[in-house]
Amino acid sequence: EPDPHGQHYEAICQAGAKICRDLNVLPECLYLWVDYFSIPQRNTTLKELSIGSLAVYASVARYFVIICPSCLHVDADMVCNKETYHRRGWCRLEQWARMAVDGPRSMYRYEGNGKLIKLEDDLTWYHNSIHVFDGDFTVPSDKATLVDTVLSLWALCTARKEKNEKIYNLIN
């Protein structure tokens, strides 16, 4: 159970309500993709296939909201927050996939404080996100499986220079 005290769940609900209010999205038109619940956990084959397609899910989202309230990780007995989120390699990949398709627009961070923080002008955040292989991986061999995906994202950013100028400038 990744959220036994419901802190992330509560933050997801708050962020969804904030998106609806601030961006004039009808609640019935808001669909959420939440990694843990959207990826099969019991069937290993389906889980691996789903994890392998994370970049696709992230790239087609209308809004990309990072949910990162400060809370205690129950199993690891460590604080989880925006910094620990941003150090994780898979999280970096998801962000870069989103940026490669639509640039830094419509990306937000929600830390559980009632504010959607727009990430569009935070070049340091973007710079770190595109350095997927510098991120933390629980399974180091996962990096090798991401080479083709990361190269494809780099090619996409290069090909769409006009749409993603901020990102293009970071990778060149």
Side-chain angles (χ1 to χ4, degrees):
E1 175 70 29
D3 189 23
H5 304 296
Q7 292 172 289
H8 281 90
Y9 175 77
E10 182 63 29
I12 289 167
C13 292
Q14 291 171 2
K18 192 92 171 116
I19 287 281
C20 290
R21 272 192 314 276
D22 293 1
L23 304 175
N24 295 320
V25 175
L26 294 173
E28 59 269 19
C29 295
L30 182 67
Y31 294 89
L32 303 176
W33 184 89
V34 181
D35 56 4
Y36 180 80
F37 297 106
S38 298
I39 293 176
Q41 298 297 314
R42 292 191 179 138
N43 184 313
T44 307
T45 302
L46 289 177
K47 183 177 183 177
E48 289 174 5
L49 288 170
S50 296
I51 289 171
S53 62
L54 282 175
V56 175
Y57 288 111
S59 70
V60 297
R62 183 171 178 191
Y63 304 105
F64 187 102
V65 182
I66 296 162
I67 304 294
C68 54
S70 184
C71 57
L72 187 65
H73 189 290
V74 197
D75 297 329
D77 194 32
M78 62 179 254
V79 173
C80 293
N81 54 27
K82 68 180 183 181
E83 286 83 17
T84 59
Y85 169 90
H86 202 45
R87 283 197 306 263
R88 296 193 336 243
W90 283 102
C91 295
R92 289 179 178 205
L93 177 72
E94 292 170 0
Q95 293 172 80
W96 194 20
R98 177 67 174 84
M99 290 185 279
V101 170
D102 198 32
R105 292 170 291 284
S106 302
M107 290 185 72
Y108 302 89
R109 186 175 65 236
Y110 187 80
E111 299 174 33
N113 55 4
K115 298 177 185 173
L116 274 177
I117 300 162
K118 197 166 189 166
L119 296 177
E120 190 167 353
D121 298 321
D122 190 344
L123 290 181
T124 301
W125 188 275
Y126 289 116
H127 181 267
N128 291 338
S129 295
I130 65 175
H131 289 91
V132 173
F133 298 120
D134 291 337
D136 297 336
F137 285 87
T138 306
V139 180
S141 62
D142 282 350
K143 291 180 182 182
T145 66
L146 297 180
V147 171
D148 289 343
T149 302
V150 169
L151 286 173
S152 296
L153 292 172
W154 179 84
L156 184 61
C157 287
T158 302
R160 300 179 70 170
K161 175 184 174 184
E162 295 77 30
K163 187 168 186 169
N164 299 325
E165 192 169 338
K166 283 183 183 180
I167 305 306
Y168 177 82
N169 290 337
L170 287 174
I171 65 171
N172 286 303

